[in-house]
Amino acid sequence: MKKFIVKITLFSVAIICVINAIMLSFLFGVKDDWSIYSHEKNYVLSYDRLSALRDTNKIIIIAGSNGGFSINSRIIKEAFNMPVVNTSTHAGIGVRMQFETYKEFICKNDIVLFIPEYDDGDERLYGGSTLFRIVGTHMPSAYKKISARQWLHLYKYIGVHNKECYEHLGSGEFNSPYSRGALNEYGDIEFEREHKDSIKSYNLKGEMSVELIDYYKYIHDYVRSRGAKLIFLPPTLIESCYNNNTEQIDSVCTILNKNRIPYGAHPLRYVFPDTLYFDTPYHMTPAGASKRTEKVVEDMLRILKRRDKEKI
């Protein structure tokens, strides 16, 4: 009886290992057909731009899609007379993956504009199936930057990723704000888009975990250790959604303040009328993106001026 149980156990383990091997093979051998032609290509384009600017002072934008759709990098470039690289693609890639991919390019006197979305929890830090779609399609070599703890979180998304790849089979070139053709030379979405009345307001989810806070602190410390300057700002958010989530947003601010990594501006400063948003609470129209960016520049100048005074 014991031998039978041992055999059954070993057989089960072998089956599990085979299934895991098949699932993992999709990560390294399969690209998502939709992502190939989408704005998510900015993930590798940003890496190439930063590599070319390695020894040049620059402004690096680290954000989710609130950065891609709702920032006009040309305005920032003209205000600071510095090249701008907007690395934003999708918040679903996770803050850790995005920062780990580009941190090697941060140099002395660079400015890092860090604007994560509000939603908290492990997915905000470690990502989900979106990480597999973007990294696996555009730069599989970046998988080596995933920590053991992050793999434990991501494992459950492997099956979801494989299913999405199957659903996207046969996708080809398309023309929309989400296409790779919508990207400009900075990494912004530069595609005419109008407000949609169908934008769905939603309740922000998740709690700001200790791990997420610690990683935010790590970003602050790392940028400082490189002799660069970090500007930490709240994301833009559609007015109707902000009004439904003030308690959650106030909680985020309180936690950040307690951990001595406060936003450089109050969240309400980046709340705009619904008509300035395109299709989600974070995605603005071109007019909205310009209005938001003008405030970003004002805050950047104010924060940098204050820090220069503190050094005197």
Side-chain angles (χ1 to χ4, degrees):
M1 184 65 178
K2 287 183 179 180
K3 288 183 178 181
F4 176 74
I5 293 175
V6 170
K7 287 182 179 180
I8 289 296
T9 301
L10 291 175
F11 178 76
S12 299
V13 170
I15 291 295
I16 291 172
C17 288
V18 169
I19 292 173
N20 287 341
I22 293 172
M23 292 175 70
L24 287 171
S25 70
F26 273 87
L27 296 182
F28 296 92
V30 177
K31 295 185 176 184
D32 185 291
D33 285 358
W34 178 85
S35 188
I36 291 172
Y37 300 101
S38 80
H39 71 294
E40 292 175 349
K41 188 176 182 180
N42 192 50
Y43 178 66
V44 67
L45 293 177
S46 295
Y47 188 91
D48 294 340
R49 292 188 193 103
L50 288 171
S51 182
L53 294 169
R54 185 184 291 272
D55 299 319
T56 304
N57 286 145
K58 55 199 169 291
I59 297 172
I60 305 172
I61 302 173
I62 304 285
S65 58
N66 92 86
F69 279 83
S70 305
I71 282 182
N72 185 327
S73 293
R74 187 174 286 104
I75 293 174
I76 298 176
K77 177 181 181 293
E78 291 173 354
F80 290 89
N81 195 29
M82 294 170 67
V84 178
V85 179
N86 188 348
T87 70
S88 308
T89 52
H90 194 303
I93 197 174
V95 170
R96 187 183 185 281
M97 187 76 247
Q98 189 176 9
F99 189 72
E100 293 295 323
T101 298
Y102 305 118
K103 71 179 187 182
E104 66 180 281
F105 300 114
I106 298 173
C107 301
K108 186 176 181 179
N109 294 324
D110 283 353
I111 299 173
V112 178
L113 186 56
F114 179 44
I115 316 178
E117 274 78 357
Y118 285 122
D119 294 291
D120 300 318
D122 288 344
E123 193 164 340
R124 167 62 59 248
L125 175 58
Y126 293 129
S129 62
T130 301
L131 181 153
F132 290 140
R133 184 177 71 236
I134 295 175
V135 176
T137 300
H138 300 284
M139 196 163 57
S141 60
Y143 278 134
K144 64 186 178 184
K145 299 180 184 294
I146 298 177
S147 67
R149 169 66 183 89
Q150 190 171 6
W151 274 118
L152 288 174
H153 164 77
L154 288 170
Y155 180 80
K156 61 180 174 288
Y157 293 101
I158 295 176
V160 177
H161 168 63
N162 293 343
K163 180 174 179 290
E164 289 175 347
C165 283
Y166 178 78
E167 291 173 346
H168 293 161
L169 279 175
S171 296
E173 197 78 54
F174 62 99
N175 188 39
S176 86
Y178 289 90
S179 67
R180 63 184 181 183
L183 294 167
N184 65 15
E185 66 268 33
Y186 306 105
D188 306 344
I189 299 296
E190 190 172 73
F191 193 103
E192 192 56 42
R193 51 197 185 275
E194 298 179 354
H195 168 70
K196 293 183 178 181
D197 292 329
S198 58
I199 296 176
K200 294 181 179 179
S201 183
Y202 64 94
N203 293 324
L204 298 175
K205 59 185 179 182
E207 296 181 2
M208 187 163 273
S209 67
V210 173
E211 286 181 283
L212 182 60
I213 295 168
D214 285 347
Y215 197 77
Y216 281 5
K217 288 180 178 178
Y218 168 73
I219 290 175
H220 282 70
D221 292 342
Y222 183 88
V223 172
R224 191 180 302 116
S225 73
R226 303 282 284 190
K229 304 162 188 176
L230 182 78
I231 307 292
F232 183 33
L233 295 176
T236 184
L237 191 66
I238 194 170
E239 186 175 28
S240 57
C241 186
Y242 178 86
N243 292 337
N244 291 335
N245 291 276
T246 53
E247 186 175 338
Q248 171 87 355
I249 294 171
D250 287 345
S251 174
V252 169
C253 291
T254 298
I255 293 172
L256 293 175
N257 290 338
K258 284 182 178 178
N259 283 275
R260 299 182 179 180
I261 50 170
Y263 286 132
H266 192 281
L268 190 57
R269 181 164 165 75
Y270 290 102
V271 174
F272 296 88
D274 289 22
T275 52
L276 288 176
Y277 291 79
F278 168 47
D279 62 345
T280 83
Y282 288 118
H283 296 179
M284 304 187 82
T285 63
S290 294
K291 288 179 180 293
R292 186 261 189 114
T293 305
E294 288 168 359
K295 290 193 174 186
V296 168
V297 168
E298 290 174 2
D299 286 336
M300 292 174 71
L301 291 170
R302 171 181 54 80
I303 292 168
L304 293 172
K305 183 177 180 180
R306 184 193 70 209
R307 290 179 185 171
D308 286 341
K309 284 185 177 180
E310 291 173 351
K311 290 179 182 179
I312 299 175

